[in-house]
Amino acid sequence: MLISAPHSTSALRAALRTFGLSSSIALSLAACSSSTPAPSASSVATSAGGAGGLGGGGGASGGAGTGSGGEAEFLNGGCRTGQDCPDDGSCVPPGESDPACGIPAPDTCMSDAECASMANGICDGEVCGGRHCVPGCADDSACSPSMACQAGHRCGPKPCAKDSDCPEDFACVAEGGTDRVCRRQQCTSRTDCAHHCVNGECYESLGSCSGPPAG
């Protein structure tokens, strides 16, 4: 016959007397029932603290990811050198011809004389395009701030005497003896420019990445 363990020593003795057992056996059974201690509060706290330590490590890892995202946000798809471009691409400065254009469109003119029927017409090319007749400049207002309208209705480097005669990101440099003109400021970092340093020269905006030439 199977009996359940009593909840006190006196109850155990009474039960054993019923079955004719001695009190010494009762005391032995009571000692066995109390031999396994309950887990202490300090051991529970220690286990919880260990889990917290692992969580802390995960938090530190997440912080590192935020730091690397800052540079991508600054570039926002632009570039300063070819190192910012994937797949061996090149960094093309703003307004310059993209080598990935491949074969340009066919020319429709070869000289300015072929554009005489157009007011101030010149034979000129465009980014990723062939040469064709387009209106040339009539005065400096038709040129960019660093350029001036020259003979032949073409915009060329603006003459200057000092850097302040040139727009931001340009410097007054000597060319051809005593002649001085506005040219892009040379740079090694962004701090050398008012805006951005792209391929060693200052620009108003970042360059754009170009893949290998088409064709």
Side-chain angles (χ1 to χ4, degrees):
M1 178 178 180
L2 181 63
I3 61 172
S4 60
H7 294 288
S8 67
T9 302
S10 58
L12 178 60
R13 287 171 174 166
L16 291 174
R17 281 197 298 272
T18 303
F19 293 93
L21 298 177
S22 66
S23 60
S24 61
I25 296 177
L27 291 174
S28 298
L29 290 175
C32 291
S33 66
S34 60
S35 62
T36 304
S40 65
S42 61
S43 64
V44 174
T46 301
S47 299
L54 292 175
S61 176
T66 302
S68 64
E71 184 68 11
E73 182 179 355
F74 163 73
L75 292 175
N76 195 27
C79 60
R80 300 158 299 186
T81 67
Q83 293 181 342
D84 295 327
C85 301
D87 303 326
D88 297 324
S90 59
C91 184
V92 182
E96 294 195 13
S97 179
D98 187 344
C101 291
I103 302 174
D107 295 329
T108 58
C109 64
M110 297 300 295
S111 67
D112 291 349
E114 298 177 50
C115 305
S117 61
M118 179 183 293
N120 303 325
I122 59 174
C123 182
D124 203 6
E126 295 181 352
V127 175
C128 294
R131 291 163 56 89
H132 53 278
C133 292
V134 296
C137 62
D139 53 43
D140 292 350
S141 64
C143 304
S144 66
S146 65
M147 309 285 273
C149 189
Q150 301 177 346
H153 305 292
R154 292 180 179 274
C155 294
K158 178 183 177 180
C160 61
K162 55 188 182 300
D163 288 347
S164 59
D165 295 331
C166 304
E168 283 186 331
D169 293 322
F170 284 79
C172 187
V173 298
E175 282 191 355
T178 58
D179 294 337
R180 298 176 66 87
V181 295
C182 294
R183 293 291 187 186
R184 290 200 175 274
Q185 175 71 42
Q186 301 295 300
C187 60
T188 57
S189 69
R190 188 183 184 189
T191 57
D192 297 328
C193 308
H195 298 94
H196 301 280
C197 184
V198 181
N199 293 343
E201 293 185 336
C202 296
Y203 285 87
E204 295 77 10
S205 60
L206 291 167
S208 57
C209 289
S210 171

